[in-house]
Amino acid sequence: MKNIVIGQYVPGAGFFYRLDPRTKIISVIVLMVAVFLLGTILQVSLAFLAVLAVMLAGRISVGRVARGLRPLFVLLVFTFAFQIFLNREGALWVAQEMTVGLLSLSAVVVWTILWRLAARFRRMRSLFLLVWLAGVYAALSFLPAFGPVFARYSFEIYQRGVETSIFVVIRLLIVISLSTILTLTTKPTDLTQGLESLLRPLKKLGVNSDDFALIISISLRYIPTILDEANKIMLAQASRGADFNEGKLVEKVKQIVSLLIPMFIIAFKRSEDLADAMESRNFVPGKPRTRIHELAFGAADLVTAIVTVLFLAASILALVVA
Amino acid sequence: MAIRFRQVSYSYPGYGFGTYEAIRDVTLDIAATGEFIALVGQTGSGKSTLAQHMNALIFPTEGTVEIFGSVVGPKRDKNVKYNELRRKVGLVFQFPEYQLFEETVEKDVMFGPTNFGIPEEEAREMARKALELVGLGSQYLRRNPLNLSGGEKKRVSIAGILAMDPAILVLDEPTSGLDPRGKKTMMDLFRSIRGATGKSIVVITHDMDLVYEYMDRVLVLDRGRLAFDGTPDDLFRRNDLERLHLDHPSTIRVLKAVSEKLGIDLDVYQKDIASAVRELAKAVRP
């Protein structure tokens, strides 16, 4: 929970902080569309470099964005593996006959146990993971079929598979980085004000953008509060011997109930208090409201708009040329 | 010594803003029996963080906490049974809303004991005893804990920890939100628990009157550091209380004001109202 950077606003100063939230929202959407128009690894790599350059220009710590990617690492690895194994087009690069037999299977099991033991040394975990993968590969490929054989499998990697997996992962990285830039540099209140302003035309269709924006801003506002509260409840119940890590399933269920009920009660209480606080400040649902800070476009917004349009034009051009 | 803090520091991880050091370099000992300790300090001085170290709810970032012989360091140790430590050192949180969840008071108080593997009948008996100890009779057993008053909820949450029969009791602001009479009853309750069982009790509080009247020992935290460890008498005789963001108890303040205004010589260090009144009477009728 401590490392969640996605959706987290970090106060600071710089180019992106001065931008109008509307510019940022529209630019991010347009840029994402533009990235999805790109078709080759070279193009997405260039786009990725461009995003990195933009981050550096806006003095956003690349390290911080990268840390934010950590929870999505599993998704990236999964996407990569999925593409590499399932795409069977282009030239055949690797073809390895694999035997799943008693010998190789037990070798894999032993190897896995060794790996889990080694994984206690936290520092080199990723290295151990690679060594483990290599070991499994070797065991399945080169150990003789000694004893019963359960399955034979042809492990194949094709050129297109490697290409698409790299392509997809880079594209995903760009999309995530772009949205991280948006949320990292925009206050939740500004974000909702921007959304509200952008959705205003929908009012004619009967969608109330004010209410919508209010719902979003309240939800965003209460995420950290509720996380904090959940943590406190967890500690309070742990003080009474509720161990959320160990125990049988039945006990676990009971312990989760001991967490959920106080959370619901506190959430309801909080929402009642919030409603009272809003009403006592004369909030009337549906009535138009004024703002202290009106949104206004500036020179920085113009620059951003130009860069965004140029990028979109470039990717359309690339699409047309191809 | 039951709990030993050795150069304990704890930093809360911040959301990308670096870390926030809540307690720094704290070294202290708490005996298993007979202690009645007040933990005081201004808001944000690290009192609750320190208390959460006492039953290994959180691990120190630096240093070690030894709890009944088990050493709790920065890293989780597989040989230490943390749950057992939480049974030995009972920690009551400030807000009962964070823990009450069962349909009846009895079941809620039984939650702790059953978690520690005590059979149901025995746990029921312990719950009854604990509720009685906090002054809630059998008519409360079937009530819904969520429909009780604030003071009653507080008692139920304390009973929930007492029912686990901990060797040391740690309470985070048990008197906050109670009226003056409720505060007194609560403190009398702790005094009687200590008298009856001899267990050490640690109480976090902001109320200097209670500290002076009831406690044997005060720990003062100032911005995460242990600024004072001694008796309330020694603490309130110091001249630099303001530097520690503390105030004198009302008895001392009133007697001091009177002696300065009227220019009479009084022994201002009186622990409760009755003795303060006697001291005043002495000055009026020598």
Side-chain angles (χ1 to χ4, degrees), chain B residues 242-253:
Chain B
E242 253 139 67
R243 205 175 51 78
L244 301 175
H245 310 281
L246 297 177
D247 208 348
H248 279 105
S250 357
T251 50
I252 296 181
R253 275 188 302 176

Side-chain angles (χ1 to χ4, degrees), chain B residues 255-271:
Chain B
L255 290 175
K256 250 190 188 162
V258 169
S259 81
E260 275 164 24
K261 264 266 154 53
L262 303 179
I264 46 176
D265 197 26
L266 289 173
D267 178 15
V268 299
Y269 298 102
Q270 302 299 332
K271 291 200 168 210

Side-chain angles (χ1 to χ4, degrees), chain A residues 13-26:
Chain A
F15 184 77
F16 291 108
Y17 287 90
R18 289 200 301 274
L19 283 179
D20 189 296
R22 289 172 292 181
T23 318
K24 280 190 266 191
I25 296 170
I26 293 182

Side-chain angles (χ1 to χ4, degrees), chain A residues 12-135:
Chain A
F15 184 77
F16 291 108
Y17 287 90
R18 289 200 301 274
L19 283 179
D20 189 296
R22 289 172 292 181
T23 318
K24 280 190 266 191
I25 296 170
I26 293 182
S27 304
V28 164
I29 294 171
V30 170
L31 287 176
M32 282 184 187
V33 170
V35 166
F36 273 87
L37 291 178
L38 299 175
T40 67
I41 291 188
L42 182 67
Q43 284 166 6
V44 286
S45 307
L46 282 177
F48 187 56
L49 285 180
V51 170
L52 286 181
V54 162
M55 267 194 239
L56 288 176
R59 296 227 203 100
I60 291 175
S61 148
V62 178
R64 179 166 287 159
V65 177
R67 246 180 291 147
L69 289 175
R70 212 184 287 164
L72 297 167
F73 188 69
V74 178
L75 178 74
L76 289 175
V77 168
F78 190 74
T79 318
F80 190 81
F82 196 73
Q83 290 292 341
I84 221 168
F85 290 128
L86 293 186
N87 197 317
R88 309 213 144 192
E89 287 167 41
L92 184 65
W93 276 7
V94 178
Q96 186 65 53
E97 288 300 323
M98 287 193 171
T99 335
V100 184
L102 193 60
L103 184 64
S104 55
L105 214 54
S106 24
V108 167
V109 169
V110 170
W111 189 238
T112 308
I113 293 170
L114 281 176
W115 170 53
R116 289 321 300 168
L117 286 177
R120 285 186 185 177
F121 303 98
R122 301 186 148 219
R123 274 166 195 272
M124 295 187 283
R125 262 200 300 203
S126 39
L127 180 72
F128 285 133
L129 180 68
L130 285 178
V131 172
W132 176 74
L133 279 176

Side-chain angles (χ1 to χ4, degrees), chain B residues 77-139:
Chain B
D77 183 344
K78 281 203 174 148
N79 301 320
V80 176
K81 293 208 165 66
Y82 295 99
N83 236 5
E84 273 307 301
L85 300 182
R86 285 170 201 156
R87 187 184 173 181
K88 282 184 183 148
V89 182
L91 173 62
V92 184
F93 273 67
Q94 184 179 357
F95 299 106
E97 289 79 14
Y98 287 116
Q99 63 175 63
L100 302 179
F101 75 103
E102 286 280 17
E103 308 105 83
T104 67
V105 168
E106 184 183 36
K107 273 193 185 173
D108 204 281
V109 176
M110 283 167 64
F111 180 69
T114 41
N115 273 334
F116 291 113
I118 291 164
E120 192 164 329
E121 271 316 304
E122 212 172 310
R124 200 180 299 276
E125 195 46 46
M126 289 170 109
R128 245 169 249 244
K129 269 191 197 146
L131 281 166
E132 202 135 304
L133 210 52
V134 298
L136 297 178
S138 55
Q139 72 271 25

